[in-house]
Amino acid sequence: MRYLLDTADLAAIRRFCDIFPVAGVTSNPSIVKKEGKIDFFAHMNEIRSIIGPGKPLHIQVTALDTEGMIRDADTLLTKVDKEVYVKVPVTMEGIRAIKRLKAQGVHVTGTAIYSSQQGFLAMEAGADCIAPYFNRMENMGLDPDGIIAALAEMIRLYQYPTEILAASFKNAGQVDRAFLAGAQTATMDPSILEGVLTQPHITNAVAAFDADWKSVFGECTLAEL
Ligand code: E4P
């Protein structure tokens, strides 16, 4: 299981990379919008410097046509670095861009995936990662667990080198379900990770341990005995 941060908030990326086992960062144009009119490439380079050179940084193209997507990809590789995973929506134009980018050896992530068929096509076109949108599928009355399981089964059966990078989560339970269905990786807003470790029953349990220890040993910690 690998956890990625689905945000472009630099302070959050710094804080959460320090605390959690973060494997990389993703964003999309809607996530970038939350940061305002940033100096886009400086911002993406800052994310790279926070996470380091070895972790995947997924950045989405904004053009809607194949030629434009390829120009966007070239720009990302030049102005950020050659290791960027270029996120391409799996549309008619996008699938052509994925084929061409893979022929050039670029890391590619197929995104905006709402069906197993869309994922299969992206795998066959050579995408390194595919991003099924868990919460959005659930909102549509689809079966995200079954769709991710079908993608995982095809990867296993035909030994595709593709990784499932599940996305679009609104709670930690959905993340668990994506992993259990066969996603190797999941990307999420930092608040989902924080929520896992800050539930009142956890803090109450720790407060009770603290009170019991102090009732016997006072303010001395174990290391100070
Ligand atoms: C990944 O980066 C996806 O674009 C993202 O998780 C979509 O999330 P949303 O459904 O919350 O917009």
PDB file of all heavy atoms in Angstrom, residues 5-7 26-31 34 58 60 87 111-112 114 131-136 139 165-170 187-189, ligand 1:
ATOM      1  N   LEU A   5      -0.341  12.178  -1.448  1.00  0.00           N
ATOM      2  CA  LEU A   5      -1.125  13.355  -1.069  1.00  0.00           C
ATOM      3  C   LEU A   5      -1.719  13.968  -2.322  1.00  0.00           C
ATOM      4  O   LEU A   5      -0.993  14.251  -3.288  1.00  0.00           O
ATOM      5  CB  LEU A   5      -0.236  14.380  -0.365  1.00  0.00           C
ATOM      6  CG  LEU A   5       0.408  13.929   0.947  1.00  0.00           C
ATOM      7  CD1 LEU A   5       1.305  15.051   1.493  1.00  0.00           C
ATOM      8  CD2 LEU A   5      -0.647  13.542   1.979  1.00  0.00           C
ATOM      9  N   ASP A   6      -3.023  14.188  -2.295  1.00  0.00           N
ATOM     10  CA  ASP A   6      -3.731  14.771  -3.439  1.00  0.00           C
ATOM     11  C   ASP A   6      -3.953  16.260  -3.139  1.00  0.00           C
ATOM     12  O   ASP A   6      -5.056  16.678  -2.796  1.00  0.00           O
ATOM     13  CB  ASP A   6      -5.077  14.040  -3.591  1.00  0.00           C
ATOM     14  CG  ASP A   6      -5.647  14.140  -4.998  1.00  0.00           C
ATOM     15  OD1 ASP A   6      -4.920  14.519  -5.917  1.00  0.00           O
ATOM     16  OD2 ASP A   6      -6.842  13.801  -5.160  1.00  0.00           O
ATOM     17  N   THR A   7      -2.890  17.028  -3.233  1.00  0.00           N
ATOM     18  CA  THR A   7      -2.962  18.444  -2.861  1.00  0.00           C
ATOM     19  C   THR A   7      -1.786  19.188  -3.481  1.00  0.00           C
ATOM     20  O   THR A   7      -0.765  18.589  -3.811  1.00  0.00           O
ATOM     21  CB  THR A   7      -2.906  18.605  -1.320  1.00  0.00           C
ATOM     22  OG1 THR A   7      -3.045  19.984  -0.988  1.00  0.00           O
ATOM     23  CG2 THR A   7      -1.601  18.107  -0.735  1.00  0.00           C
ATOM     24  N   THR A  26       0.015  14.113  -5.951  1.00  0.00           N
ATOM     25  CA  THR A  26      -0.770  14.284  -7.180  1.00  0.00           C
ATOM     26  C   THR A  26      -1.529  15.607  -7.096  1.00  0.00           C
ATOM     27  O   THR A  26      -1.763  16.131  -6.006  1.00  0.00           O
ATOM     28  CB  THR A  26      -1.813  13.157  -7.347  1.00  0.00           C
ATOM     29  OG1 THR A  26      -2.684  13.179  -6.204  1.00  0.00           O
ATOM     30  CG2 THR A  26      -1.175  11.793  -7.450  1.00  0.00           C
ATOM     31  N   SER A  27      -1.924  16.096  -8.259  1.00  0.00           N
ATOM     32  CA  SER A  27      -2.842  17.247  -8.280  1.00  0.00           C
ATOM     33  C   SER A  27      -3.614  17.189  -9.588  1.00  0.00           C
ATOM     34  O   SER A  27      -3.348  16.343 -10.453  1.00  0.00           O
ATOM     35  CB  SER A  27      -2.079  18.573  -8.150  1.00  0.00           C
ATOM     36  OG  SER A  27      -1.194  18.747  -9.229  1.00  0.00           O
ATOM     37  N   ASN A  28      -4.579  18.064  -9.693  1.00  0.00           N
ATOM     38  CA  ASN A  28      -5.293  18.247 -10.961  1.00  0.00           C
ATOM     39  C   ASN A  28      -5.634  19.733 -11.039  1.00  0.00           C
ATOM     40  O   ASN A  28      -5.396  20.473 -10.063  1.00  0.00           O
ATOM     41  CB  ASN A  28      -6.528  17.328 -11.031  1.00  0.00           C
ATOM     42  CG  ASN A  28      -7.552  17.640  -9.956  1.00  0.00           C
ATOM     43  OD1 ASN A  28      -7.748  18.792  -9.582  1.00  0.00           O
ATOM     44  ND2 ASN A  28      -8.231  16.625  -9.440  1.00  0.00           N
ATOM     45  N   PRO A  29      -6.170  20.230 -12.130  1.00  0.00           N
ATOM     46  CA  PRO A  29      -6.421  21.669 -12.226  1.00  0.00           C
ATOM     47  C   PRO A  29      -7.360  22.203 -11.144  1.00  0.00           C
ATOM     48  O   PRO A  29      -7.210  23.353 -10.703  1.00  0.00           O
ATOM     49  CB  PRO A  29      -7.021  21.821 -13.629  1.00  0.00           C
ATOM     50  CG  PRO A  29      -6.406  20.697 -14.402  1.00  0.00           C
ATOM     51  CD  PRO A  29      -6.347  19.549 -13.439  1.00  0.00           C
ATOM     52  N   SER A  30      -8.305  21.397 -10.676  1.00  0.00           N
ATOM     53  CA  SER A  30      -9.217  21.861  -9.621  1.00  0.00           C
ATOM     54  C   SER A  30      -8.480  21.995  -8.288  1.00  0.00           C
ATOM     55  O   SER A  30      -8.772  22.903  -7.493  1.00  0.00           O
ATOM     56  CB  SER A  30     -10.390  20.896  -9.463  1.00  0.00           C
ATOM     57  OG  SER A  30     -11.026  20.711 -10.699  1.00  0.00           O
ATOM     58  N   ILE A  31      -7.538  21.098  -8.046  1.00  0.00           N
ATOM     59  CA  ILE A  31      -6.734  21.176  -6.820  1.00  0.00           C
ATOM     60  C   ILE A  31      -5.801  22.392  -6.898  1.00  0.00           C
ATOM     61  O   ILE A  31      -5.638  23.125  -5.923  1.00  0.00           O
ATOM     62  CB  ILE A  31      -5.944  19.858  -6.630  1.00  0.00           C
ATOM     63  CG1 ILE A  31      -6.916  18.735  -6.239  1.00  0.00           C
ATOM     64  CG2 ILE A  31      -4.833  20.005  -5.603  1.00  0.00           C
ATOM     65  CD1 ILE A  31      -6.330  17.341  -6.248  1.00  0.00           C
ATOM     66  N   LYS A  34      -7.285  25.805  -5.962  1.00  0.00           N
ATOM     67  CA  LYS A  34      -7.403  26.152  -4.530  1.00  0.00           C
ATOM     68  C   LYS A  34      -6.218  26.994  -4.046  1.00  0.00           C
ATOM     69  O   LYS A  34      -6.309  27.659  -3.022  1.00  0.00           O
ATOM     70  CB  LYS A  34      -7.459  24.873  -3.680  1.00  0.00           C
ATOM     71  CG  LYS A  34      -8.715  24.057  -3.870  1.00  0.00           C
ATOM     72  CD  LYS A  34      -8.692  22.850  -2.928  1.00  0.00           C
ATOM     73  CE  LYS A  34      -9.748  21.840  -3.315  1.00  0.00           C
ATOM     74  NZ  LYS A  34      -9.531  20.518  -2.727  1.00  0.00           N
ATOM     75  N   HIS A  58       2.879  13.602  -9.762  1.00  0.00           N
ATOM     76  CA  HIS A  58       1.939  13.478 -10.879  1.00  0.00           C
ATOM     77  C   HIS A  58       1.323  14.852 -11.140  1.00  0.00           C
ATOM     78  O   HIS A  58       0.720  15.443 -10.234  1.00  0.00           O
ATOM     79  CB  HIS A  58       0.810  12.499 -10.552  1.00  0.00           C
ATOM     80  CG  HIS A  58       1.284  11.111 -10.199  1.00  0.00           C
ATOM     81  ND1 HIS A  58       1.110  10.025 -11.039  1.00  0.00           N
ATOM     82  CD2 HIS A  58       1.910  10.635  -9.100  1.00  0.00           C
ATOM     83  CE1 HIS A  58       1.611   8.943 -10.461  1.00  0.00           C
ATOM     84  NE2 HIS A  58       2.098   9.287  -9.286  1.00  0.00           N
ATOM     85  N   GLN A  60      -1.098  17.115 -13.936  1.00  0.00           N
ATOM     86  CA  GLN A  60      -2.060  16.912 -15.035  1.00  0.00           C
ATOM     87  C   GLN A  60      -1.888  17.931 -16.154  1.00  0.00           C
ATOM     88  O   GLN A  60      -1.652  19.117 -15.890  1.00  0.00           O
ATOM     89  CB  GLN A  60      -3.485  16.992 -14.463  1.00  0.00           C
ATOM     90  CG  GLN A  60      -4.554  16.520 -15.433  1.00  0.00           C
ATOM     91  CD  GLN A  60      -5.843  16.162 -14.708  1.00  0.00           C
ATOM     92  OE1 GLN A  60      -5.808  15.625 -13.600  1.00  0.00           O
ATOM     93  NE2 GLN A  60      -6.978  16.457 -15.313  1.00  0.00           N
ATOM     94  N   LYS A  87      -0.151  13.393 -16.009  1.00  0.00           N
ATOM     95  CA  LYS A  87      -1.531  12.886 -15.874  1.00  0.00           C
ATOM     96  C   LYS A  87      -2.327  13.303 -17.101  1.00  0.00           C
ATOM     97  O   LYS A  87      -2.433  14.492 -17.415  1.00  0.00           O
ATOM     98  CB  LYS A  87      -2.192  13.479 -14.632  1.00  0.00           C
ATOM     99  CG  LYS A  87      -1.801  12.779 -13.336  1.00  0.00           C
ATOM    100  CD  LYS A  87      -2.466  13.440 -12.153  1.00  0.00           C
ATOM    101  CE  LYS A  87      -3.926  13.049 -12.015  1.00  0.00           C
ATOM    102  NZ  LYS A  87      -4.548  13.769 -10.863  1.00  0.00           N
ATOM    103  N   THR A 111      -5.939   9.325 -16.121  1.00  0.00           N
ATOM    104  CA  THR A 111      -6.806   9.803 -15.036  1.00  0.00           C
ATOM    105  C   THR A 111      -8.239   9.991 -15.514  1.00  0.00           C
ATOM    106  O   THR A 111      -8.548   9.783 -16.688  1.00  0.00           O
ATOM    107  CB  THR A 111      -6.212  11.100 -14.427  1.00  0.00           C
ATOM    108  OG1 THR A 111      -6.865  11.372 -13.196  1.00  0.00           O
ATOM    109  CG2 THR A 111      -6.347  12.298 -15.348  1.00  0.00           C
ATOM    110  N   ALA A 112      -9.110  10.388 -14.557  1.00  0.00           N
ATOM    111  CA  ALA A 112     -10.550  10.567 -14.823  1.00  0.00           C
ATOM    112  C   ALA A 112     -11.167   9.253 -15.309  1.00  0.00           C
ATOM    113  O   ALA A 112     -11.907   9.213 -16.283  1.00  0.00           O
ATOM    114  CB  ALA A 112     -10.790  11.700 -15.823  1.00  0.00           C
ATOM    115  N   TYR A 114     -13.650   6.155 -14.851  1.00  0.00           N
ATOM    116  CA  TYR A 114     -14.940   5.839 -14.231  1.00  0.00           C
ATOM    117  C   TYR A 114     -15.428   4.436 -14.609  1.00  0.00           C
ATOM    118  O   TYR A 114     -16.552   4.083 -14.265  1.00  0.00           O
ATOM    119  CB  TYR A 114     -16.004   6.839 -14.682  1.00  0.00           C
ATOM    120  CG  TYR A 114     -15.827   8.249 -14.173  1.00  0.00           C
ATOM    121  CD1 TYR A 114     -14.975   9.132 -14.806  1.00  0.00           C
ATOM    122  CD2 TYR A 114     -16.544   8.702 -13.065  1.00  0.00           C
ATOM    123  CE1 TYR A 114     -14.820  10.436 -14.354  1.00  0.00           C
ATOM    124  CE2 TYR A 114     -16.401  10.000 -12.604  1.00  0.00           C
ATOM    125  CZ  TYR A 114     -15.537  10.864 -13.247  1.00  0.00           C
ATOM    126  OH  TYR A 114     -15.396  12.145 -12.793  1.00  0.00           O
ATOM    127  N   ALA A 131      -5.874   5.921 -12.752  1.00  0.00           N
ATOM    128  CA  ALA A 131      -6.510   6.544 -11.577  1.00  0.00           C
ATOM    129  C   ALA A 131      -8.029   6.443 -11.646  1.00  0.00           C
ATOM    130  O   ALA A 131      -8.704   7.327 -12.186  1.00  0.00           O
ATOM    131  CB  ALA A 131      -6.067   8.002 -11.476  1.00  0.00           C
ATOM    132  N   PRO A 132      -8.591   5.352 -11.084  1.00  0.00           N
ATOM    133  CA  PRO A 132     -10.050   5.257 -10.980  1.00  0.00           C
ATOM    134  C   PRO A 132     -10.555   6.183  -9.880  1.00  0.00           C
ATOM    135  O   PRO A 132      -9.959   6.263  -8.808  1.00  0.00           O
ATOM    136  CB  PRO A 132     -10.290   3.781 -10.626  1.00  0.00           C
ATOM    137  CG  PRO A 132      -9.018   3.281 -10.037  1.00  0.00           C
ATOM    138  CD  PRO A 132      -7.910   4.139 -10.555  1.00  0.00           C
ATOM    139  N   TYR A 133     -11.670   6.859 -10.149  1.00  0.00           N
ATOM    140  CA  TYR A 133     -12.213   7.877  -9.245  1.00  0.00           C
ATOM    141  C   TYR A 133     -13.239   7.255  -8.303  1.00  0.00           C
ATOM    142  O   TYR A 133     -14.440   7.203  -8.612  1.00  0.00           O
ATOM    143  CB  TYR A 133     -12.856   8.991 -10.072  1.00  0.00           C
ATOM    144  CG  TYR A 133     -11.888  10.019 -10.618  1.00  0.00           C
ATOM    145  CD1 TYR A 133     -10.520   9.857 -10.511  1.00  0.00           C
ATOM    146  CD2 TYR A 133     -12.373  11.171 -11.235  1.00  0.00           C
ATOM    147  CE1 TYR A 133      -9.643  10.812 -10.998  1.00  0.00           C
ATOM    148  CE2 TYR A 133     -11.514  12.135 -11.729  1.00  0.00           C
ATOM    149  CZ  TYR A 133     -10.152  11.952 -11.602  1.00  0.00           C
ATOM    150  OH  TYR A 133      -9.294  12.910 -12.091  1.00  0.00           O
ATOM    151  N   PHE A 134     -12.771   6.811  -7.150  1.00  0.00           N
ATOM    152  CA  PHE A 134     -13.587   6.013  -6.238  1.00  0.00           C
ATOM    153  C   PHE A 134     -14.885   6.717  -5.811  1.00  0.00           C
ATOM    154  O   PHE A 134     -15.984   6.222  -6.052  1.00  0.00           O
ATOM    155  CB  PHE A 134     -12.758   5.646  -4.997  1.00  0.00           C
ATOM    156  CG  PHE A 134     -13.315   4.490  -4.232  1.00  0.00           C
ATOM    157  CD1 PHE A 134     -12.747   3.233  -4.329  1.00  0.00           C
ATOM    158  CD2 PHE A 134     -14.422   4.645  -3.414  1.00  0.00           C
ATOM    159  CE1 PHE A 134     -13.272   2.151  -3.627  1.00  0.00           C
ATOM    160  CE2 PHE A 134     -14.953   3.583  -2.717  1.00  0.00           C
ATOM    161  CZ  PHE A 134     -14.379   2.333  -2.822  1.00  0.00           C
ATOM    162  N   ASN A 135     -14.755   7.878  -5.181  1.00  0.00           N
ATOM    163  CA  ASN A 135     -15.962   8.536  -4.636  1.00  0.00           C
ATOM    164  C   ASN A 135     -16.912   8.964  -5.749  1.00  0.00           C
ATOM    165  O   ASN A 135     -18.131   8.852  -5.620  1.00  0.00           O
ATOM    166  CB  ASN A 135     -15.565   9.736  -3.773  1.00  0.00           C
ATOM    167  CG  ASN A 135     -16.769  10.364  -3.116  1.00  0.00           C
ATOM    168  OD1 ASN A 135     -17.415   9.745  -2.277  1.00  0.00           O
ATOM    169  ND2 ASN A 135     -17.116  11.585  -3.517  1.00  0.00           N
ATOM    170  N   ARG A 136     -16.337   9.448  -6.842  1.00  0.00           N
ATOM    171  CA  ARG A 136     -17.213   9.893  -7.939  1.00  0.00           C
ATOM    172  C   ARG A 136     -17.994   8.710  -8.509  1.00  0.00           C
ATOM    173  O   ARG A 136     -19.165   8.842  -8.856  1.00  0.00           O
ATOM    174  CB  ARG A 136     -16.392  10.574  -9.036  1.00  0.00           C
ATOM    175  CG  ARG A 136     -15.752  11.874  -8.574  1.00  0.00           C
ATOM    176  CD  ARG A 136     -15.219  12.638  -9.745  1.00  0.00           C
ATOM    177  NE  ARG A 136     -14.291  13.679  -9.350  1.00  0.00           N
ATOM    178  CZ  ARG A 136     -13.899  14.653 -10.150  1.00  0.00           C
ATOM    179  NH1 ARG A 136     -14.328  14.724 -11.391  1.00  0.00           N
ATOM    180  NH2 ARG A 136     -13.036  15.555  -9.729  1.00  0.00           N
ATOM    181  N   ASN A 139     -20.761   7.892  -6.075  1.00  0.00           N
ATOM    182  CA  ASN A 139     -21.859   8.870  -6.196  1.00  0.00           C
ATOM    183  C   ASN A 139     -22.753   8.586  -7.395  1.00  0.00           C
ATOM    184  O   ASN A 139     -23.923   8.965  -7.406  1.00  0.00           O
ATOM    185  CB  ASN A 139     -21.297  10.287  -6.351  1.00  0.00           C
ATOM    186  CG  ASN A 139     -20.800  10.846  -5.032  1.00  0.00           C
ATOM    187  OD1 ASN A 139     -21.118  10.314  -3.974  1.00  0.00           O
ATOM    188  ND2 ASN A 139     -20.011  11.903  -5.099  1.00  0.00           N
ATOM    189  N   LEU A 165      -3.632   3.566  -9.208  1.00  0.00           N
ATOM    190  CA  LEU A 165      -3.481   4.729  -8.326  1.00  0.00           C
ATOM    191  C   LEU A 165      -4.888   5.259  -8.056  1.00  0.00           C
ATOM    192  O   LEU A 165      -5.377   6.153  -8.742  1.00  0.00           O
ATOM    193  CB  LEU A 165      -2.608   5.785  -9.023  1.00  0.00           C
ATOM    194  CG  LEU A 165      -2.539   7.200  -8.464  1.00  0.00           C
ATOM    195  CD1 LEU A 165      -2.150   7.210  -7.003  1.00  0.00           C
ATOM    196  CD2 LEU A 165      -1.549   8.028  -9.259  1.00  0.00           C
ATOM    197  N   ALA A 166      -5.560   4.642  -7.088  1.00  0.00           N
ATOM    198  CA  ALA A 166      -6.951   5.026  -6.834  1.00  0.00           C
ATOM    199  C   ALA A 166      -7.012   6.464  -6.318  1.00  0.00           C
ATOM    200  O   ALA A 166      -6.118   6.907  -5.596  1.00  0.00           O
ATOM    201  CB  ALA A 166      -7.573   4.070  -5.824  1.00  0.00           C
ATOM    202  N   ALA A 167      -8.064   7.171  -6.720  1.00  0.00           N
ATOM    203  CA  ALA A 167      -8.180   8.599  -6.407  1.00  0.00           C
ATOM    204  C   ALA A 167      -9.627   8.929  -6.088  1.00  0.00           C
ATOM    205  O   ALA A 167     -10.500   8.068  -6.178  1.00  0.00           O
ATOM    206  CB  ALA A 167      -7.684   9.421  -7.588  1.00  0.00           C
ATOM    207  N   SER A 168      -9.838  10.195  -5.722  1.00  0.00           N
ATOM    208  CA  SER A 168     -11.180  10.693  -5.419  1.00  0.00           C
ATOM    209  C   SER A 168     -11.769   9.964  -4.206  1.00  0.00           C
ATOM    210  O   SER A 168     -12.627   9.094  -4.342  1.00  0.00           O
ATOM    211  CB  SER A 168     -12.110  10.540  -6.631  1.00  0.00           C
ATOM    212  OG  SER A 168     -13.427  10.941  -6.308  1.00  0.00           O
ATOM    213  N   PHE A 169     -11.272  10.343  -3.032  1.00  0.00           N
ATOM    214  CA  PHE A 169     -11.771   9.751  -1.783  1.00  0.00           C
ATOM    215  C   PHE A 169     -12.367  10.835  -0.907  1.00  0.00           C
ATOM    216  O   PHE A 169     -11.871  11.956  -0.878  1.00  0.00           O
ATOM    217  CB  PHE A 169     -10.616   9.080  -1.024  1.00  0.00           C
ATOM    218  CG  PHE A 169     -10.048   7.895  -1.745  1.00  0.00           C
ATOM    219  CD1 PHE A 169      -8.807   7.975  -2.367  1.00  0.00           C
ATOM    220  CD2 PHE A 169     -10.747   6.704  -1.811  1.00  0.00           C
ATOM    221  CE1 PHE A 169      -8.280   6.883  -3.036  1.00  0.00           C
ATOM    222  CE2 PHE A 169     -10.231   5.603  -2.479  1.00  0.00           C
ATOM    223  CZ  PHE A 169      -8.999   5.703  -3.096  1.00  0.00           C
ATOM    224  N   LYS A 170     -13.387  10.469  -0.163  1.00  0.00           N
ATOM    225  CA  LYS A 170     -13.960  11.406   0.804  1.00  0.00           C
ATOM    226  C   LYS A 170     -13.806  10.906   2.231  1.00  0.00           C
ATOM    227  O   LYS A 170     -14.085  11.638   3.170  1.00  0.00           O
ATOM    228  CB  LYS A 170     -15.440  11.675   0.481  1.00  0.00           C
ATOM    229  CG  LYS A 170     -15.637  12.517  -0.759  1.00  0.00           C
ATOM    230  CD  LYS A 170     -15.093  13.948  -0.620  1.00  0.00           C
ATOM    231  CE  LYS A 170     -14.906  14.662  -1.953  1.00  0.00           C
ATOM    232  NZ  LYS A 170     -13.625  14.415  -2.619  1.00  0.00           N
ATOM    233  N   THR A 187      -4.367   8.050  -3.629  1.00  0.00           N
ATOM    234  CA  THR A 187      -4.031   9.453  -3.381  1.00  0.00           C
ATOM    235  C   THR A 187      -5.211  10.141  -2.731  1.00  0.00           C
ATOM    236  O   THR A 187      -6.361   9.904  -3.114  1.00  0.00           O
ATOM    237  CB  THR A 187      -3.595  10.161  -4.682  1.00  0.00           C
ATOM    238  OG1 THR A 187      -3.123  11.479  -4.329  1.00  0.00           O
ATOM    239  CG2 THR A 187      -4.703  10.274  -5.719  1.00  0.00           C
ATOM    240  N   MET A 188      -4.928  10.971  -1.718  1.00  0.00           N
ATOM    241  CA  MET A 188      -6.034  11.541  -0.923  1.00  0.00           C
ATOM    242  C   MET A 188      -5.661  12.888  -0.340  1.00  0.00           C
ATOM    243  O   MET A 188      -4.470  13.186  -0.159  1.00  0.00           O
ATOM    244  CB  MET A 188      -6.412  10.575   0.199  1.00  0.00           C
ATOM    245  CG  MET A 188      -5.339  10.396   1.239  1.00  0.00           C
ATOM    246  SD  MET A 188      -5.371   8.768   1.998  1.00  0.00           S
ATOM    247  CE  MET A 188      -4.669   7.744   0.705  1.00  0.00           C
ATOM    248  N   ASP A 189      -6.693  13.656  -0.013  1.00  0.00           N
ATOM    249  CA  ASP A 189      -6.474  14.917   0.681  1.00  0.00           C
ATOM    250  C   ASP A 189      -5.835  14.610   2.042  1.00  0.00           C
ATOM    251  O   ASP A 189      -6.223  13.643   2.704  1.00  0.00           O
ATOM    252  CB  ASP A 189      -7.817  15.641   0.857  1.00  0.00           C
ATOM    253  CG  ASP A 189      -7.617  17.029   1.409  1.00  0.00           C
ATOM    254  OD1 ASP A 189      -7.388  17.943   0.598  1.00  0.00           O
ATOM    255  OD2 ASP A 189      -7.664  17.198   2.643  1.00  0.00           O
TER     256      ASP A 189
HETATM  257  C1  E4P B   1      -6.536  12.730  -8.530  1.00  0.00           C
HETATM  258  O1  E4P B   1      -5.662  13.584  -8.544  1.00  0.00           O
HETATM  259  C2  E4P B   1      -7.935  13.042  -8.877  1.00  0.00           C
HETATM  260  O2  E4P B   1      -7.935  14.040  -9.838  1.00  0.00           O
HETATM  261  C3  E4P B   1      -8.704  13.474  -7.651  1.00  0.00           C
HETATM  262  O3  E4P B   1      -8.488  12.540  -6.614  1.00  0.00           O
HETATM  263  C4  E4P B   1     -10.176  13.678  -7.893  1.00  0.00           C
HETATM  264  O4  E4P B   1     -10.760  13.931  -6.639  1.00  0.00           O
HETATM  265  P1  E4P B   1     -12.222  14.563  -6.434  1.00  0.00           P
HETATM  266  O5  E4P B   1     -13.223  13.571  -6.896  1.00  0.00           O
HETATM  267  O6  E4P B   1     -12.296  14.809  -4.974  1.00  0.00           O
HETATM  268  O7  E4P B   1     -12.267  15.827  -7.238  1.00  0.00           O
END
